[in-house]
Amino acid sequence: MTQQQNVVVAAEDIKRAQKPPAIPGGYIPIPRRSVLKSLEINGPERINAWLDSMRASSPTHPKSSSTPSQISQDHSSWILNHPSALDMFDQIMDASKGKKIVMFLDYDGTLSPIVDDPDRAFMSDSMRKTVRKLARCFPTAIVTGRCRDKVYNFVRLAELYYAGSHGMDIKGPTRTSKYNKDTKADPVLFQPAAQFLPLIDEVYQQLVEKTKSTPGARVENNKFCVSVHFRCVEEKEWSELAQQVRSVLKKYPKLRLSQGRKVLEIRPTIKWDKGKALEFLLESLGFANCSDVFPVYIGDDRTDEDAFKKLRDRGQGLGILVSKFPKDTNASYSLQEPTEVMDFLQRLVDWKKESLRARSRV
Ligand SMILES: O=P(O)(O)OC[C@H]1O[C@H](O[C@H]2O[C@H](CO)[C@@H](O)[C@H](O)[C@H]2O)[C@H](O)[C@@H](O)[C@@H]1O
């Protein structure tokens, strides 16, 4: 691909790069500008690193130390390296030619907008309709940090695959579609962290108890992992809340911590993540060792990076980061918000219908 890093473009070109890089066949290898930092450090530095990483996952504005011209240059440079998937739609479809598209969709911040109350992160009816149409065209999976049952209650589409708890709870469709016609076969069900259930319940109770003194703190049981929410906590209390989490977590060497959008997530130390879940689902769908598959993963959060990286390592398909602000990412493309995700999914549906029509005319 053409390297265009640090190229300055006019302000009106910030949102949409006019000359995005060409796609060489399948995956677009874009070198990382900085490597995601390791958080294996001790003491107060560790707490600060957790908080910095959490802030970086959910930027609400450009760096306050930057001048407007630096902000504009950073954004332009980032957009040139991660162009809009809508602007690049035709090139993406060209790259998928002759391959089977498989769709992987994160939930929060991708299909539903980020809101203060995690129990009210509803998906719009129009997004549900679009995802339903998408699943008629391509095998489609929801891959989320949420508890699988909870995300199912939001999405309510039985024809999809669901990978809850960051991929540690995978279940196949319960309604038949053209991708799972064999109703006699057992639906895919995979729970690699099953033995951690009692430990997760225990740590959940302890976190609820420990954090109850912090106004706005909220602990969510996601079955095989636990989320501690910072979104409604005053920023001056964040360090205290992180200390509370750490004091509980240090008693559980079999659990580890990751950071998301104003959330700390506690999960088993097993080597399993959204990237492994993506690979597992591709195998379940019969695409193990296939070169003619084109997986598309859309997500907004730090934990989605494991899936973006998996695609990069496999040299297949592409990752799309949902973000309004530049972020360090392994994704190749960007979309700004869930409404743009819906537009992109609708274009995929239209493209599929048109290619079927064209084939039937031949
Ligand atoms: O993998 P995801 O589907 O992106 O799940 C990650 C976390 O998503 C939820 O939290 C996020 O969305 C909330 C609702 O918009 C928001 O209030 C919170 O600040 C975000 O971090 C979910 O509640 C968490 O349990 C997931 O870990």
Side-chain angles (χ1 to χ4, degrees):
M1 75 172 255
T2 326
Q3 286 309 314
Q4 302 188 59
Q5 266 183 325
N6 304 322
V7 175
V8 180
V9 296
E12 63 269 25
D13 293 341
I14 290 172
K15 192 173 169 222
R16 300 271 183 265
Q18 297 299 302
K19 286 191 172 178
I23 297 180
Y27 198 81
I28 304 104
I30 296 172
R32 315 283 313 282
R33 271 185 293 166
S34 61
V35 174
L36 295 173
K37 278 185 223 141
S38 161
L39 300 174
E40 295 306 312
I41 47 175
N42 290 311
E45 282 174 5
R46 177 187 292 216
I47 298 284
N48 288 335
W50 287 358
L51 296 179
D52 286 349
S53 172
M54 200 172 67
R55 282 191 192 96
S57 297
S58 203
T60 48
H61 46 74
K63 274 188 234 151
S64 51
S65 57
S66 307
T67 63
S69 130
Q70 277 167 338
I71 292 166
S72 157
Q73 282 185 23
D74 283 356
H75 203 152
S76 307
S77 161
W78 190 79
I79 277 291
L80 281 168
N81 283 303
H82 307 90
S84 162
L86 283 167
D87 287 350
M88 293 290 282
F89 188 81
D90 293 339
Q91 291 89 332
I92 291 172
M93 289 302 101
D94 282 350
S96 76
K97 224 166 238 161
K99 297 179 181 168
K100 293 183 188 82
I101 294 175
V102 181
M103 295 301 299
F104 296 91
L105 307 169
D106 168 52
Y107 184 74
D108 290 280
T110 298
L111 296 182
S112 70
I114 293 291
V115 291
D116 283 349
D117 181 353
D119 290 342
R120 302 191 61 78
F122 303 117
M123 181 174 166
S124 67
D125 286 342
S126 45
M127 181 66 97
R128 182 172 300 99
K129 274 187 201 149
T130 308
V131 176
R132 180 180 285 126
K133 285 185 276 178
L134 184 79
R136 286 188 193 130
C137 299
F138 314 103
T140 301
I142 304 290
V143 185
T144 173
R146 295 262 190 180
C147 165
R148 179 165 53 78
D149 289 345
K150 202 163 178 179
V151 85
Y152 182 80
N153 286 335
F154 283 137
V155 178
R156 288 186 274 120
L157 294 172
E159 54 272 60
L160 307 185
Y161 287 77
Y162 287 86
S165 307
H166 294 293
M168 288 179 284
D169 191 7
I170 299 181
K171 194 158 183 232
T174 46
R175 183 184 300 152
T176 52
S177 72
K178 64 178 175 180
Y179 303 110
N180 62 318
K181 281 190 187 124
D182 185 2
T183 46
K184 283 187 201 119
D186 283 341
V188 185
L189 184 65
F190 186 62
Q191 296 181 328
Q195 77 273 28
F196 285 88
L197 262 187
L199 199 66
I200 292 289
D201 280 342
E202 187 183 309
V203 83
Y204 167 71
Q205 297 297 346
Q206 293 213 13
L207 284 166
V208 169
E209 187 55 34
K210 187 62 122 187
T211 60
K212 69 181 182 198
S213 57
T214 304
R218 181 166 181 160
V219 187
E220 190 181 6
N221 189 336
N222 284 330
K223 191 166 180 175
F224 295 107
C225 49
V226 177
S227 292
V228 180
H229 290 277
F230 284 59
R231 188 165 295 276
C232 296
V233 176
E234 285 218 38
E235 204 158 336
K236 62 178 168 32
E237 307 292 339
W238 282 16
S239 182
E240 173 62 22
L241 181 55
Q243 289 283 4
Q244 291 167 348
V245 173
R246 187 170 179 231
S247 71
V248 171
L249 198 62
K250 69 181 180 203
K251 292 182 270 174
Y252 294 93
K254 289 188 176 154
L255 300 179
R256 69 181 170 102
L257 188 124
S258 57
Q259 299 80 23
R261 299 183 68 172
K262 298 193 179 171
V263 71
L264 291 181
E265 293 161 316
I266 291 96
R267 46 170 150 168
T269 46
I270 60 164
K271 286 191 177 151
W272 197 263
D273 53 37
K274 288 181 171 184
K276 298 259 187 196
L278 178 150
E279 205 154 52
F280 176 90
L281 283 163
L282 284 177
E283 281 172 24
S284 303
L285 284 158
F287 295 118
N289 309 317
C290 275
S291 55
D292 64 345
V293 63
F294 195 85
V296 176
Y297 188 104
I298 311 182
D300 72 317
D301 213 343
R302 199 183 175 94
T303 58
D304 298 310
E305 291 299 328
D306 295 317
F308 296 147
K309 179 154 189 319
K310 182 63 74 183
L311 293 179
R312 199 170 273 278
D313 292 347
R314 288 171 69 106
Q316 278 181 332
L318 54 95
I320 302 174
L321 178 73
V322 185
S323 180
K324 281 189 173 154
F325 299 99
K327 275 192 196 174
D328 200 2
T329 183
N330 269 300
S332 301
Y333 293 100
S334 62
L335 289 169
Q336 297 214 2
E337 53 199 348
T339 51
E340 284 203 356
V341 173
M342 190 167 81
D343 292 348
F344 180 78
L345 301 182
Q346 183 59 49
R347 283 189 72 177
L348 278 170
V349 171
D350 295 342
W351 172 87
K352 178 75 179 186
K353 283 187 184 154
E354 183 47 41
S355 49
L356 288 176
R357 269 198 293 269
R359 208 179 296 165
S360 70
R361 283 197 293 266
V362 178

